[in-house]
Amino acid sequence: ENNSVCGGFGSAILELINFLNLQKAPSVLPLGLPDSFVNHGDAGKLFSSFGLDPQSIAEQICRKFNSISSINLETETTNPGSL
């Protein structure tokens, strides 16, 4: 049930928007695992294979909301002592 699109948090928000008949509801992008058997393994690799890693999520958000066409989420480590 963790991270499932069907019956997940995004579905609940969409149901609430429909129930309240909101005319100016914000756009919702439900993200999660498919409603099917998911093999077991390393969580990071599994999330990545379903487009749920940080880079893929950011790209899906940008596509959905026609934002920046491409972004790079590479993290940089900064030495606090060098500031």
Side-chain angles (χ1 to χ4, degrees):
E1 184 171 323
N2 286 348
N3 305 307
S4 177
V5 172
C6 295
F9 184 72
S11 293
I13 295 298
L14 291 170
E15 288 176 28
L16 180 63
I17 289 170
N18 185 53
F19 177 78
L20 296 175
N21 197 26
L22 298 177
Q23 301 301 316
K24 294 184 179 182
S27 186
V28 177
L29 176 62
L31 299 173
L33 298 172
D35 190 26
S36 61
F37 178 78
V38 175
N39 289 323
H40 297 278
D42 177 73
K45 289 179 182 177
L46 290 172
F47 286 144
S48 182
S49 71
F50 287 104
L52 297 174
D53 58 289
Q55 182 70 37
S56 297
I57 290 171
E59 290 171 358
Q60 291 177 70
I61 292 168
C62 289
R63 278 195 304 273
K64 170 77 174 182
F65 299 104
N66 296 319
S67 297
I68 306 167
S69 59
S70 154
I71 62 172
N72 188 347
L73 292 181
E74 290 181 22
T75 57
E76 297 181 22
T77 53
T78 307
N79 181 354
S82 66
L83 296 176

